[in-house]
Amino acid sequence: MNTNVWKVDKYVDKLESNPHIVDAAHFLRDNEVIALPTETVYGLGGNAESDEAVTKIFEAKGRPVDNPLIIHIADIAQLEQFTAEIPAKAEVLMDQFWPGPLTIIFKKKQGALSEKATAGLDTVGVRMPDHPVALALFRQCGLPIAAPSANSSGKPSPTTAQHVMDDLNGKIAGVLDAGPTGVGVESTVVDCTEEIPVILRPGGITKEQLEAAVGQVRIDPALTNTEGTARPKAPGMKYRHYAPNAPLYLVSGTRVFLQQLVEEKKQEGLRVGVLTTEEHTGEFDADVVFACGRRAELETVAAMLYDTLRKFNQSEVDVIFSEMFPTTGVGLAIMNRLQKAAGNKMISE
Ligand code: AMP
Ligand code: MG
């Protein structure tokens, strides 16, 4: 299949009548799948009402079929087509954080969406992304759009159209290229089907922000249980994800200790990579040292995380050591993704 790359300037182009967006909307109505920019990562969109389109999403990504897709909308009025009830706390969250990087789990209205999109669950995750190209596209086609991240399953999520092409060229009808995404980690997934909302996946909206809006919020205990003995409520959280090709180790300890680990591996004749931040790059001597944003501003680390993980593949290192980050604010999402990328491998001083 030929994969179209449609460049769209989100600041300049008249999006509603942009011919590339009109083309992409046609593909969606024909149950083809296309990649689209959001403020978090690039998504792989398809008609959420169609088994055919949803099957194409799973096949292009190689995604396990028990991992449900998030349904994307451009207008809150679309919600009642496929949700059974909208709790008061969900209303508050939508009001404050939509459009934005927050996915809310609702009870599902039966029969309205492809069963494959929700992996047969009786709930559905919904979000309204804060990206003018995504919203213009959804309005243009008028459908609820199922969209997971537009990467091959298991790889780091794509934050540029080039990342999408690296994984999915030839497998999808096209990609709308509007430049790098902003937030860099995926949406926060919060389950609002219970009285106290539960974070099933940390992401772009922090626990602190959610609590300021609706009071107490819990975190799914499976997220902090790194032995993997508790079963996460978001089916996708049980899979290894975001992995670079080389083994990645998180290092808990001083930077001097991290450099000692580098030396040991260099002596074994291995090519060694270090994931650090701008503040600390000068302190490491390895084959490849990548600064992933600034530690003092964790948002910059989130924005660069997946691109940095992908860059290690191009530089063909044999092993990667990474600094760790505080789990406050967006740091919770950063550490969750790094732990998954590392398959929970950690070395402590
Ligand atoms: P991705 O599509 O790659 O951003 O991943 C979406 C995440 O949301 C996965 O971890 C899914 O398992 C999770 N998710 C989607 N729908 C539901 C749902 N109804 N209940 C629980 N988790 C969900
Ligand atoms: Mg994903």
Side-chain angles (χ1 to χ4, degrees), residues 23 172 330:
D23 275 355
I172 61 176
V330 76

Side-chain angles (χ1 to χ4, degrees), residues 44 48 54-55 57-58 61 63-72 103-106 108 113-127 145-149 153 186-187 189 191 200-201 231-239 241-242:
L44 182 59
V54 169
T55 300
I57 295 176
F58 279 96
K61 282 181 61 81
R63 182 172 173 112
V65 292
D66 71 345
N67 190 4
L69 308 180
I70 293 169
I71 311 303
H72 292 64
T103 295
I104 302 178
I105 308 289
F106 296 92
K108 182 174 90 174
L113 297 172
S114 157
E115 275 297 297
K116 293 182 196 289
T118 54
L121 298 178
D122 53 12
T123 55
V124 56
V126 189
R127 130 171 157 90
I145 297 298
S149 50
S153 231
E186 296 87 342
S187 60
V189 178
D191 184 350
L200 306 187
R201 173 176 76 179
R231 197 184 143 90
K233 269 194 79 182
M237 296 303 282
K238 67 178 176 287
Y239 293 108
H241 256 141
Y242 318 114

